[in-house]
Amino acid sequence: MTPTVMPVLSDEAITTWALAARAGDPDAVEHVVRALHHDVRRYVIYLGADPQAAEDITQETFLRALGSLHRFEGRSSARTWLLAIARRTVVDSLRHAAARPRLADTADWQSAAERAQPSGLPGHDDAVALAELLAALPDERREAFVLTQLVGLPYAEAALVSDCPVGTVRSRVSRARSTLMRCLHDAERAGLTPTAA
């Protein structure tokens, strides 16, 4: 179930579709999934979910959301509601994975997978560098930064997803930006590929 990426739509339109889906409109369900799939998947990955399992966790998020759609009342945007479900799904997945034996034959399979990717593609090096920088941030700062700067949620909605005050989200984003800028500046001075310290 990998929907095509739709153009960015307003939260009001997506929430209206979610309310229509709640009332039983199957077309509205498809609109909600297509509109939010990319944001949910990106958020799942940056929360630290195993990139190989990101699509499964994204699908599980949508299954949980559809199963509890009857409880969605539109008090927050559908995007905020779905990202909160995604957050809980990732946490459940991480807990489940921690209880299972490790299946990979290499300790750093993510780096091995990145080395196997063609590096000449436009943006590849930037994406790898950004992933490394974000991975080095503390979890709370990474989550706040991803929600507001990459997913594009307003600070108030990011606070709802993260279950913390808006001021805390603002502080975490500010500190994440400072850390990222310092790391980029240090890397440029050293003439190296950016990696967080």
Side-chain angles (χ1 to χ4, degrees), residues 19-97:
L19 292 170
R22 175 183 173 206
D25 182 349
D27 291 333
V29 171
E30 185 176 336
H31 285 300
V32 171
V33 171
R34 285 183 183 216
L36 295 177
H37 184 269
H38 181 71
D39 286 348
V40 169
R41 188 171 193 284
R42 180 188 299 177
Y43 183 53
V44 163
I45 290 171
Y46 282 108
L47 279 179
D50 173 354
Q52 292 177 332
E55 188 59 36
D56 291 338
I57 295 171
T58 300
Q59 288 184 15
E60 176 65 22
T61 297
F62 280 101
L63 289 173
R64 288 183 182 191
L66 293 174
S68 62
L69 191 57
H70 64 281
R71 291 189 299 241
F72 178 67
E73 296 177 0
R75 284 184 263 166
S76 66
S77 72
R79 183 185 315 270
T80 300
W81 176 71
L82 201 53
L83 291 174
I85 293 171
R87 185 174 196 252
R88 289 189 298 273
T89 305
V90 169
V91 168
D92 290 347
S93 173
L94 292 172
R95 285 182 184 146
H96 180 72

Side-chain angles (χ1 to χ4, degrees), residues 108-131:
D108 191 10
W109 61 266
Q110 186 174 6
S111 292
E114 287 172 357
R115 286 190 302 270
Q117 297 297 317
S119 60
L121 298 175
H124 173 77
D125 293 338
D126 293 338
V128 170
L130 178 61

